[in-house]
Amino acid sequence: MKASSINTAEPAPTLMTFFTRFEADILAGKKTITIRDGSESNYLPGSTVTLATHESGRVFGQAKILTVTPILFSALSNLHAEQENMSLDELKQVITDIYPSEQQLFVVSFQHIVKA
Ligand SMILES: CC(=O)Nc1ccn([C@@H]2O[C@H](CO)[C@@H](O)[C@H]2O)c(=O)n1
């Protein structure tokens, strides 16, 4: 990973937002990773984050951050798709919609621990 990809000036975030449509899968333990760009890659493994909806900021639980791993868009595989509870085609479409033309991404794995 390039040093310039790591934002060392900011403290590790304690809030992680998700589109509301993913809430049920997260609470059911079916979605255990999220894929973010460099600006959202500063999560600290071992830390606990509050989960909230992107649309309204409604808190729906807490999760423990397990790992943060760089990944190129071109290296996304069925393993990632399984952990997102979607097909690889769906996952690539979702990521392209959120992060157009971004190659360098980060897999953030988490364990959902508390329901709000
Ligand atoms: C709301 C917000 O700030 N940002 C994001 C960014 C990503 N995601 C989801 O993570 C996976 C890979 O990107 C897919 O399931 C995405 O839909 C999300 O829910 N919210």
Side-chain angles (χ1 to χ4, degrees):
M1 177 172 35
K2 284 184 305 191
S4 59
S5 304
I6 309 171
N7 184 347
T8 50
E10 297 287 333
T14 56
L15 179 70
M16 180 175 268
T17 59
F18 285 93
F19 294 107
T20 304
R21 66 184 191 274
F22 298 117
E23 175 182 356
D25 275 2
I26 293 166
L27 292 178
K30 293 178 182 172
K31 175 173 162 67
T32 59
I33 64 168
T34 183
I35 296 171
R36 304 292 168 117
D37 71 1
S39 71
E40 295 179 76
S41 66
N42 207 25
Y43 288 98
L44 182 67
S47 68
T48 298
V49 295
T50 297
L51 305 175
T53 60
H54 174 69
E55 291 87 345
S56 67
R58 178 174 48 80
V59 171
F60 63 89
Q62 290 182 22
K64 185 175 177 180
I65 302 297
L66 300 180
T67 60
V68 181
T69 311
I71 184 98
L72 292 177
F73 181 86
S74 55
L76 288 170
S77 71
N78 280 313
L79 182 63
H80 301 110
E82 273 173 34
Q83 296 175 95
E84 289 270 9
N85 195 35
M86 55 182 94
S87 73
L88 184 54
D89 280 352
E90 273 179 282
L91 177 61
K92 286 185 167 178
Q93 187 60 57
V94 165
I95 291 175
T96 304
D97 289 346
I98 304 172
Y99 306 115
S101 71
E102 185 66 70
Q103 269 300 311
Q104 183 63 71
L105 300 164
F106 295 82
V107 180
V108 181
S109 69
F110 58 84
Q111 182 179 14
H112 165 247
I113 49 174
V114 182
K115 186 178 185 306

